[in-house]
Amino acid sequence: MIAIVLGTRPEIIKMSPVVRECQKRKLDHLVLHTGQHYSYAMDRVFFEELELPDPAFKLDVGSGAHGEQTGKMLTGIEKVLTKQRPDIVLVQGDTNTVLAGALAASKLGVRVGHVEAGLRCYDRSMPEEINRVLADHLSQLLFVPTNVARQHLAKEGITKGVYKTGNTIVDAVRQNLDLAERKSNVLHRLGLEDDDYLVATAHRQENVDDPKRLKGVIEGLQRVSDELKMTLVLPTHPRTRKRIEEFGLRSDGILLTEPLGYLDFLILEANSRLILTDSGGVQEEACILHVPCVTMRESTERPETIAVKANLLAGTNPKVISEMARRQMRVRTRWRNPFGDGRAAERIVARCASKRKRPG
Ligand code: UD1
Ligand code: UDP
């Protein structure tokens, strides 16, 4: 049996093709949701839109300090795995849920498969970097999206059990874009016109929990919107919303919305002139959708996007954000998508199926 452990928005989206593939092959599998994300707009909406079955197990861990949150997950995941005895635990990405899933499984002697293995930004001040390094070193199956990721692992001595599959985000985009085009009326709802607006997201701990950096991000976005004379939409992560209020920051000139469902967000991205973000998944989607991107961080674990000129790093200085935005507005958008052919889930599940223990 394959146990899929997930808990946050990007994991639900990026694991959805894996769940679908398990269903298609009629493979014995279960989904365990840690409850790291729990607000409707960060969690339930994706199960509904992506037509995913309810998780078989829900831990309802909720928010908390890193140790507290990860510790609760560890306890809960261990209980489920001890009872269910899966052959493989699959985790995706770099969240606390991933670390807890990989650690609980490996201590029980259950094989761990890490989807999106081998990403590195080489900044250990980011909680995500710690999580992804540890998850990789706990895994027996490492599903890398690209050769760059494979090389990162090789540098750390991990060469066995590494399989290049592409990133399941390509599968997710392809599986949902047509549906999104048919179903979403987000442009109409927000009063936007194709190619005449900008989209931004920001939620990284190091950006939004630091008043100076968050102020830089907001001022940068205001500046870009002003200079390019385009509406800028910021679907706002709950962490960011909370901090904007707490720090008393003014967001005049920016169109703040609730976090959007996947179908609306895909349409918003696909039709925008430029995307500004600190999100990992959004950097990838911008690249896949051929929309130029500016990343409001000092480093990225998605250097493939920079290499094809789909993305530029800007940090959080407003002047630099606006300079990079102007540059990216001029870029030719016919780059090659480095993240695969949309069949990553097929490869991942096929490999897991071939590695399951035979009965008896
Ligand atoms: C987490 C991941 C991050 C990932 C992001 C995806 C870690 C360390 N961080 O960050 O890598 O990019 O998810 O979005 O695992 N909140 C709500 N409702 C929710 C979830 C969170 O209101 O459903 C608020 C709470 O105030 C909470 C805060 O957001 O304290 C942060 O949530 P948390 O899960 O700790 O981290 P994220 O910033 O979401
Ligand atoms: N996303 C969404 N609605 C939004 C913002 C983002 O559906 O309002 C999706 C986006 O399309 C991408 C994923 O959420 O697939 C990225 O998640 P997030 O930025 O929260 O986390 P990260 O990828 O940085 O870990």
Side-chain angles (χ1 to χ4, degrees), residues 38 43-44 68 99 157 183 258 265 268 320 334-335 341:
Y38 45 85
D43 172 26
R44 189 74 217 146
E68 180 195 0
L99 174 60
K183 283 206 162 172
E258 290 304 303
F265 194 71
L268 199 64
V320 183
R334 288 165 60 185
W335 54 73
D341 59 3

Side-chain angles (χ1 to χ4, degrees), residues 9-10 13-14 37 41-42 46 94-95 169 201 203-204 235-237 258-263 265-266 269 277-282 285 302:
R9 168 167 78 184
I13 294 169
K14 287 177 167 179
H37 283 176
M42 298 298 288
F46 302 106
D94 52 23
T95 65
I169 194 66
T201 76
H203 73 280
R204 291 274 152 229
T236 314
H237 189 289
E258 290 304 303
L260 296 174
Y262 193 49
L263 302 184
F265 194 71
L266 270 181
E269 286 182 298
T277 192
D278 63 10
S279 155
V282 175
E285 284 168 346
R302 273 90 176 170

Side-chain angles (χ1 to χ4, degrees), residues 66 125 127-128 203-210 239 278:
H66 284 276
S125 71
E128 290 84 4
H203 73 280
R204 291 274 152 229
Q205 179 181 303
E206 71 274 17
N207 277 350
V208 308
D209 285 9
D210 177 333
R239 175 181 210 125
D278 63 10

